[in-house]
Amino acid sequence: MSTIESSTPNQTQSSDDAMIRVNELGKRYGKFKALQGITFEVPRGQVLGFLGPNGAGKTTTMKILTCFLAPSAGSAFVGGYSIAEQSLQVRRLLGYLPEDTPIYPDMTVLEYLEYVGDIRGVESGLRRRRIGDLAEICGLMKVLSRPVGHLSKGLRQRAGLAQALLHDPPILVLDEPTSGLDPNQIVEIRQLIRHIGEEKTVILSTHILPEVQATCGRVIIINEGRLVADGTPDELASQQHDNSYHVVFDASGFTASGQSDEAIQEQLERVPGVQSVASTSPNEGEFSFTIKGESTLDLRKEIFCCARDNEWILLELQRRQLSLEDVFRRLTR
Amino acid sequence: MRNILTLGRRELGAYFNSPIAYIVIPAYLLITGYLFFSQVFLVGDASLRDFFGTAPLLFIFFLPAITMRLLAEEKRTKTIELLITMPVTDWQVVLGKFLGALGVLLAALALTLVYAFTLSSMGTLDWGIVSAGYVGLVLLGGTYIAIGLMASSWTRHQVAASLITWAITFTLYLGGKLVPMMPRALAPAVEYLSLDSHFVNISRGVLDTRDVIYYLSLIGVCLFLAVQSLDSRRWR
């Protein structure tokens, strides 16, 4: 190994509070560009969700951060240590749960955790206590003496999580931590991750969107090796606002006075700021419309006033929020 | 050093958690036992000469069965990701694996001491020659293991790893056997490289530093190449 392992963080590049700092990271596999200039930072105590379709570069980024792969371009610092030059220090700071939880199938859960603790240099008294605590937290008590190869996917996943947490690392990198778990386990693991994220820095990748909303304070979306969005789940949803409204009127009043939904549509189109109005299939006794606004201006007031002036009975008025699903689909299509 | 031992212990455990150790060791004992007892009782020659003499050939068949999984299996099942992302150097990984496989060899060789004790109970046995022979066996076996480990670092397929190991060890073994037929200019070089010719002295009880250095340097080169191959994954 030709790399120099110095024990102090690389001060020239390390920053104040960023636990992870990724700068113009690129990775090629032969001719295929898996990552093309990704830049982001993660401060202490943040759970960062890494979103993207399959093959977007999530796992590659994680493998680079955990020093399993070397980047083809750019640099990355973990806890102030360079992944290229201080890889041992970086790996000491990290707990890593790779995709598909590759754990030696011939070892029992207890043997494996002992082995990891040994290599991680967790002193034996503390190790025993940590293993006990984590077995409790991760629900592994009953399977400690079973070989990993005999466990279900969910249990193996939890063993993997226990393994990543064993040395109490300040930074956790979790590649699809809830895949293969049943709904109850998913809720438990999310709670656990949120709890961990209060003090530690967590990066988790997923393509399950509700997971991000449930666990992450911040989301990064990557697509085809490029960063396409970065923000809190709410910010992302509002940035991608398409300013449309859903309104429903009581139809009984109109039919009595002989007014049709076309007349209402016409009136609505005259409201300043409205771009288009479309009638949507109504329920019995209701007229409903989808209104699109021109700018990002909030038109709810104007729509209400229009209804009041015409003495229409307004049943529903809703400004449509894009869900993270919509944002994701939009950005990665 | 502590990491190397932890990794080595895990590797040794893997052999005894799986059928490998329970197949390879008895098979080795069966064949060496047959050779030994037939020599003693049929030929009437109470010595370990054949036991030592056949080792360079027998190891070619047995040791790849132990070494082929070392890194190839880790790569195929991706367990290497968790291994490499722990704070261990590539050298520690390779040395740990080397020691683990060497442990299986030592276990097998320890069991063959029965032959030596059988002989010494029947008459006088020159323990000097026997100890030199065993040191030689460990060096020879260690070299095969290093070659096997290197081959295992090149592929994710265990069978491919064992075939590569066979190819290399056979070449190094047969090279020595072909020396008499070789052009005079080539012969010394081939003889020096041959695994077999260095073992002849040792099995006679002569521990020559040149032979020891030969085996140790071959082990060193192979382990070095295995480390390089392990490191190269990062750049692919």
Short mmCIF file of all heavy atoms in Angstrom, two decimals, chain A residues 121-164:
data_model
loop_
_atom_site.label_atom_id
_atom_site.label_comp_id
_atom_site.label_asym_id
_atom_site.label_seq_id
_atom_site.Cartn_x
_atom_site.Cartn_y
_atom_site.Cartn_z
N GLY A 121 -11.78 -3.13 17.25
CA GLY A 121 -11.04 -2.74 18.45
C GLY A 121 -11.93 -2.32 19.61
O GLY A 121 -11.54 -1.51 20.44
N VAL A 122 -13.14 -2.88 19.67
CA VAL A 122 -14.00 -2.61 20.81
C VAL A 122 -13.56 -3.53 21.94
O VAL A 122 -13.56 -4.75 21.79
CB VAL A 122 -15.49 -2.87 20.47
CG1 VAL A 122 -16.37 -2.52 21.65
CG2 VAL A 122 -15.90 -2.09 19.24
N GLU A 123 -13.17 -2.95 23.05
CA GLU A 123 -12.59 -3.70 24.17
C GLU A 123 -13.64 -4.68 24.73
O GLU A 123 -14.83 -4.39 24.74
CB GLU A 123 -12.08 -2.67 25.17
CG GLU A 123 -11.68 -3.10 26.54
CD GLU A 123 -12.83 -3.12 27.51
OE1 GLU A 123 -13.63 -2.17 27.51
OE2 GLU A 123 -12.92 -4.10 28.24
N SER A 124 -13.19 -5.86 25.18
CA SER A 124 -14.10 -7.01 25.29
C SER A 124 -15.27 -6.82 26.27
O SER A 124 -16.37 -7.31 26.01
CB SER A 124 -13.32 -8.28 25.63
OG SER A 124 -12.88 -8.21 26.96
N GLY A 125 -15.05 -6.11 27.39
CA GLY A 125 -16.16 -5.88 28.31
C GLY A 125 -17.24 -5.03 27.66
O GLY A 125 -18.44 -5.34 27.69
N LEU A 126 -16.78 -3.95 27.03
CA LEU A 126 -17.68 -3.03 26.34
C LEU A 126 -18.39 -3.76 25.18
O LEU A 126 -19.58 -3.56 24.94
CB LEU A 126 -16.89 -1.84 25.80
CG LEU A 126 -17.67 -0.79 25.02
CD1 LEU A 126 -18.67 -0.10 25.93
CD2 LEU A 126 -16.73 0.24 24.39
N ARG A 127 -17.61 -4.61 24.52
CA ARG A 127 -18.15 -5.33 23.37
C ARG A 127 -19.35 -6.18 23.79
O ARG A 127 -20.39 -6.16 23.16
CB ARG A 127 -17.06 -6.23 22.78
CG ARG A 127 -17.39 -6.77 21.41
CD ARG A 127 -16.44 -7.87 21.01
NE ARG A 127 -15.04 -7.50 21.26
CZ ARG A 127 -14.06 -8.37 21.38
NH1 ARG A 127 -14.28 -9.66 21.25
NH2 ARG A 127 -12.84 -7.97 21.62
N ARG A 128 -19.18 -6.89 24.91
CA ARG A 128 -20.26 -7.74 25.39
C ARG A 128 -21.51 -6.91 25.67
O ARG A 128 -22.62 -7.27 25.31
CB ARG A 128 -19.80 -8.47 26.67
CG ARG A 128 -20.65 -9.64 27.01
CD ARG A 128 -19.81 -10.86 27.37
NE ARG A 128 -18.82 -11.21 26.35
CZ ARG A 128 -17.75 -11.97 26.60
NH1 ARG A 128 -17.51 -12.41 27.80
NH2 ARG A 128 -16.92 -12.27 25.62
N ARG A 129 -21.28 -5.74 26.32
CA ARG A 129 -22.41 -4.88 26.65
C ARG A 129 -23.09 -4.36 25.38
O ARG A 129 -24.31 -4.37 25.26
CB ARG A 129 -21.93 -3.71 27.52
CG ARG A 129 -22.78 -3.50 28.75
CD ARG A 129 -22.20 -2.44 29.67
NE ARG A 129 -20.75 -2.55 29.83
CZ ARG A 129 -19.91 -1.53 29.72
NH1 ARG A 129 -20.35 -0.33 29.41
NH2 ARG A 129 -18.61 -1.70 29.90
N ARG A 130 -22.25 -3.90 24.43
CA ARG A 130 -22.81 -3.37 23.18
C ARG A 130 -23.62 -4.43 22.45
O ARG A 130 -24.69 -4.15 21.92
CB ARG A 130 -21.69 -2.87 22.25
CG ARG A 130 -20.99 -1.62 22.71
CD ARG A 130 -21.81 -0.38 22.52
NE ARG A 130 -22.18 -0.10 21.12
CZ ARG A 130 -23.13 0.74 20.78
NH1 ARG A 130 -23.81 1.38 21.70
NH2 ARG A 130 -23.40 0.97 19.51
N ILE A 131 -23.07 -5.65 22.39
CA ILE A 131 -23.77 -6.72 21.67
C ILE A 131 -25.11 -7.00 22.34
O ILE A 131 -26.14 -7.14 21.68
CB ILE A 131 -22.90 -8.00 21.59
CG1 ILE A 131 -21.70 -7.74 20.68
CG2 ILE A 131 -23.72 -9.18 21.07
CD1 ILE A 131 -20.73 -8.90 20.60
N GLY A 132 -25.11 -7.02 23.69
CA GLY A 132 -26.36 -7.23 24.42
C GLY A 132 -27.38 -6.15 24.10
O GLY A 132 -28.53 -6.43 23.75
N ASP A 133 -26.93 -4.88 24.16
CA ASP A 133 -27.83 -3.76 23.89
C ASP A 133 -28.38 -3.82 22.47
O ASP A 133 -29.58 -3.66 22.24
CB ASP A 133 -27.09 -2.42 24.06
CG ASP A 133 -26.74 -2.17 25.51
OD1 ASP A 133 -27.24 -2.93 26.37
OD2 ASP A 133 -25.97 -1.23 25.79
N LEU A 134 -27.46 -4.06 21.52
CA LEU A 134 -27.88 -4.03 20.11
C LEU A 134 -28.79 -5.21 19.78
O LEU A 134 -29.70 -5.08 18.97
CB LEU A 134 -26.65 -4.01 19.20
CG LEU A 134 -25.96 -2.65 19.14
CD1 LEU A 134 -24.61 -2.78 18.48
CD2 LEU A 134 -26.82 -1.65 18.40
N ALA A 135 -28.53 -6.36 20.40
CA ALA A 135 -29.40 -7.51 20.17
C ALA A 135 -30.81 -7.17 20.62
O ALA A 135 -31.79 -7.52 19.97
CB ALA A 135 -28.86 -8.73 20.91
N GLU A 136 -30.87 -6.44 21.73
CA GLU A 136 -32.16 -5.99 22.25
C GLU A 136 -32.82 -5.03 21.27
O GLU A 136 -33.94 -5.24 20.82
CB GLU A 136 -31.92 -5.29 23.59
CG GLU A 136 -33.16 -4.87 24.33
CD GLU A 136 -33.67 -6.02 25.18
OE1 GLU A 136 -32.87 -6.70 25.86
OE2 GLU A 136 -34.88 -6.24 25.17
N ILE A 137 -32.09 -3.98 20.89
CA ILE A 137 -32.64 -2.93 20.03
C ILE A 137 -33.03 -3.49 18.66
O ILE A 137 -34.09 -3.17 18.13
CB ILE A 137 -31.60 -1.80 19.83
CG1 ILE A 137 -31.34 -1.09 21.16
CG2 ILE A 137 -32.09 -0.79 18.80
CD1 ILE A 137 -30.16 -0.14 21.11
N CYS A 138 -32.17 -4.32 18.10
CA CYS A 138 -32.43 -4.82 16.74
C CYS A 138 -33.26 -6.10 16.73
O CYS A 138 -33.48 -6.69 15.67
CB CYS A 138 -31.11 -5.07 16.01
SG CYS A 138 -30.10 -3.60 15.87
N GLY A 139 -33.69 -6.56 17.91
CA GLY A 139 -34.54 -7.75 17.94
C GLY A 139 -33.83 -9.03 17.53
O GLY A 139 -34.35 -9.84 16.78
N LEU A 140 -32.61 -9.19 18.03
CA LEU A 140 -31.82 -10.35 17.63
C LEU A 140 -31.63 -11.35 18.77
O LEU A 140 -30.94 -12.36 18.61
CB LEU A 140 -30.43 -9.90 17.15
CG LEU A 140 -30.38 -9.13 15.84
CD1 LEU A 140 -29.04 -8.44 15.67
CD2 LEU A 140 -30.64 -10.06 14.67
N MET A 141 -32.26 -11.05 19.92
CA MET A 141 -32.04 -11.86 21.12
C MET A 141 -32.20 -13.36 20.86
O MET A 141 -31.38 -14.17 21.28
CB MET A 141 -33.02 -11.44 22.22
CG MET A 141 -32.52 -10.30 23.06
SD MET A 141 -30.84 -10.57 23.61
CE MET A 141 -30.76 -9.46 24.99
N LYS A 142 -33.26 -13.71 20.13
CA LYS A 142 -33.58 -15.14 19.99
C LYS A 142 -32.71 -15.84 18.96
O LYS A 142 -32.71 -17.07 18.89
CB LYS A 142 -35.05 -15.29 19.58
CG LYS A 142 -36.01 -14.99 20.71
CD LYS A 142 -37.43 -15.21 20.24
CE LYS A 142 -38.41 -14.69 21.28
NZ LYS A 142 -39.68 -14.33 20.67
N VAL A 143 -32.00 -15.07 18.13
CA VAL A 143 -31.28 -15.72 17.04
C VAL A 143 -29.77 -15.60 17.18
O VAL A 143 -29.02 -15.94 16.26
CB VAL A 143 -31.71 -15.16 15.66
CG1 VAL A 143 -33.16 -15.47 15.40
CG2 VAL A 143 -31.45 -13.67 15.58
N LEU A 144 -29.30 -15.11 18.33
CA LEU A 144 -27.86 -14.87 18.49
C LEU A 144 -27.02 -16.11 18.21
O LEU A 144 -25.92 -16.01 17.69
CB LEU A 144 -27.57 -14.37 19.92
CG LEU A 144 -27.72 -12.87 20.13
CD1 LEU A 144 -27.47 -12.52 21.59
CD2 LEU A 144 -26.78 -12.09 19.24
N SER A 145 -27.54 -17.28 18.54
CA SER A 145 -26.72 -18.48 18.37
C SER A 145 -27.02 -19.21 17.08
O SER A 145 -26.59 -20.34 16.88
CB SER A 145 -26.92 -19.41 19.57
OG SER A 145 -28.29 -19.72 19.65
N ARG A 146 -27.78 -18.56 16.18
CA ARG A 146 -28.06 -19.23 14.90
C ARG A 146 -27.13 -18.73 13.81
O ARG A 146 -26.77 -17.56 13.79
CB ARG A 146 -29.52 -19.00 14.50
CG ARG A 146 -30.41 -19.96 15.27
CD ARG A 146 -31.87 -19.77 15.02
NE ARG A 146 -32.24 -19.64 13.62
CZ ARG A 146 -33.45 -19.21 13.25
NH1 ARG A 146 -34.33 -18.87 14.14
NH2 ARG A 146 -33.75 -19.13 11.98
N PRO A 147 -26.74 -19.63 12.90
CA PRO A 147 -25.88 -19.19 11.79
C PRO A 147 -26.59 -18.16 10.92
O PRO A 147 -27.80 -18.29 10.68
CB PRO A 147 -25.62 -20.46 10.99
CG PRO A 147 -26.00 -21.58 11.89
CD PRO A 147 -27.03 -21.06 12.84
N VAL A 148 -25.88 -17.16 10.48
CA VAL A 148 -26.46 -16.09 9.68
C VAL A 148 -27.14 -16.64 8.42
O VAL A 148 -28.18 -16.16 8.00
CB VAL A 148 -25.38 -15.05 9.31
CG1 VAL A 148 -25.94 -14.01 8.36
CG2 VAL A 148 -24.85 -14.39 10.57
N GLY A 149 -26.54 -17.69 7.85
CA GLY A 149 -27.09 -18.27 6.63
C GLY A 149 -28.48 -18.85 6.82
O GLY A 149 -29.21 -19.03 5.85
N HIS A 150 -28.88 -19.14 8.07
CA HIS A 150 -30.21 -19.72 8.31
C HIS A 150 -31.26 -18.65 8.59
O HIS A 150 -32.41 -18.98 8.80
CB HIS A 150 -30.16 -20.68 9.51
CG HIS A 150 -29.33 -21.91 9.23
ND1 HIS A 150 -29.25 -22.96 10.10
CD2 HIS A 150 -28.55 -22.23 8.19
CE1 HIS A 150 -28.44 -23.88 9.59
NE2 HIS A 150 -27.99 -23.44 8.43
N LEU A 151 -30.85 -17.39 8.65
CA LEU A 151 -31.79 -16.34 9.03
C LEU A 151 -32.60 -15.86 7.84
O LEU A 151 -32.18 -15.96 6.69
CB LEU A 151 -31.05 -15.14 9.62
CG LEU A 151 -30.21 -15.37 10.86
CD1 LEU A 151 -29.61 -14.06 11.32
CD2 LEU A 151 -31.04 -15.98 11.97
N SER A 152 -33.79 -15.32 8.13
CA SER A 152 -34.60 -14.69 7.08
C SER A 152 -33.92 -13.38 6.67
O SER A 152 -33.05 -12.87 7.38
CB SER A 152 -35.99 -14.40 7.62
OG SER A 152 -35.90 -13.39 8.61
N LYS A 153 -34.37 -12.86 5.54
CA LYS A 153 -33.76 -11.61 5.04
C LYS A 153 -33.85 -10.49 6.06
O LYS A 153 -32.89 -9.76 6.29
CB LYS A 153 -34.48 -11.21 3.74
CG LYS A 153 -33.98 -9.93 3.13
CD LYS A 153 -33.35 -10.16 1.77
CE LYS A 153 -32.44 -9.03 1.36
NZ LYS A 153 -33.16 -7.88 0.79
N GLY A 154 -35.01 -10.38 6.69
CA GLY A 154 -35.21 -9.31 7.67
C GLY A 154 -34.27 -9.43 8.85
O GLY A 154 -33.69 -8.44 9.31
N LEU A 155 -34.11 -10.64 9.35
CA LEU A 155 -33.22 -10.84 10.49
C LEU A 155 -31.77 -10.58 10.11
O LEU A 155 -30.99 -10.02 10.87
CB LEU A 155 -33.37 -12.27 11.04
CG LEU A 155 -34.62 -12.47 11.90
CD1 LEU A 155 -34.88 -13.95 12.13
CD2 LEU A 155 -34.46 -11.76 13.23
N ARG A 156 -31.42 -11.01 8.90
CA ARG A 156 -30.06 -10.78 8.43
C ARG A 156 -29.78 -9.28 8.32
O ARG A 156 -28.74 -8.78 8.70
CB ARG A 156 -29.87 -11.45 7.07
CG ARG A 156 -28.45 -11.65 6.67
CD ARG A 156 -28.27 -12.89 5.83
NE ARG A 156 -29.39 -13.08 4.90
CZ ARG A 156 -29.36 -12.71 3.63
NH1 ARG A 156 -28.30 -12.15 3.12
NH2 ARG A 156 -30.40 -12.94 2.85
N GLN A 157 -30.81 -8.57 7.84
CA GLN A 157 -30.71 -7.13 7.72
C GLN A 157 -30.47 -6.50 9.10
O GLN A 157 -29.66 -5.60 9.25
CB GLN A 157 -32.04 -6.61 7.13
CG GLN A 157 -32.00 -5.21 6.65
CD GLN A 157 -31.30 -5.09 5.32
OE1 GLN A 157 -30.81 -6.08 4.78
NE2 GLN A 157 -31.21 -3.91 4.81
N ARG A 158 -31.18 -7.01 10.10
CA ARG A 158 -31.02 -6.45 11.44
C ARG A 158 -29.65 -6.80 12.02
O ARG A 158 -29.06 -6.00 12.75
CB ARG A 158 -32.13 -6.97 12.34
CG ARG A 158 -33.46 -6.36 11.94
CD ARG A 158 -34.47 -6.52 13.02
NE ARG A 158 -35.43 -7.57 12.68
CZ ARG A 158 -36.35 -7.99 13.52
NH1 ARG A 158 -36.43 -7.49 14.72
NH2 ARG A 158 -37.19 -8.93 13.14
N ALA A 159 -29.17 -7.99 11.68
CA ALA A 159 -27.82 -8.35 12.12
C ALA A 159 -26.82 -7.39 11.48
O ALA A 159 -25.85 -6.95 12.10
CB ALA A 159 -27.49 -9.79 11.74
N GLY A 160 -27.09 -7.04 10.21
CA GLY A 160 -26.22 -6.11 9.51
C GLY A 160 -26.23 -4.74 10.15
O GLY A 160 -25.19 -4.07 10.27
N LEU A 161 -27.39 -4.33 10.59
CA LEU A 161 -27.51 -3.04 11.26
C LEU A 161 -26.76 -3.05 12.60
O LEU A 161 -26.04 -2.10 12.93
CB LEU A 161 -28.99 -2.73 11.47
CG LEU A 161 -29.38 -1.27 11.58
CD1 LEU A 161 -28.96 -0.50 10.35
CD2 LEU A 161 -30.88 -1.14 11.78
N ALA A 162 -26.92 -4.14 13.33
CA ALA A 162 -26.22 -4.28 14.62
C ALA A 162 -24.71 -4.21 14.39
O ALA A 162 -23.97 -3.56 15.14
CB ALA A 162 -26.59 -5.60 15.28
N GLN A 163 -24.27 -4.86 13.34
CA GLN A 163 -22.86 -4.85 12.98
C GLN A 163 -22.35 -3.44 12.69
O GLN A 163 -21.25 -3.05 13.10
CB GLN A 163 -22.69 -5.80 11.78
CG GLN A 163 -21.42 -5.70 10.99
CD GLN A 163 -21.45 -4.59 9.95
OE1 GLN A 163 -20.53 -3.82 9.85
NE2 GLN A 163 -22.53 -4.50 9.20
N ALA A 164 -23.20 -2.66 12.00
CA ALA A 164 -22.79 -1.30 11.64
C ALA A 164 -22.74 -0.39 12.86
O ALA A 164 -21.98 0.57 12.90
CB ALA A 164 -23.74 -0.73 10.59
#
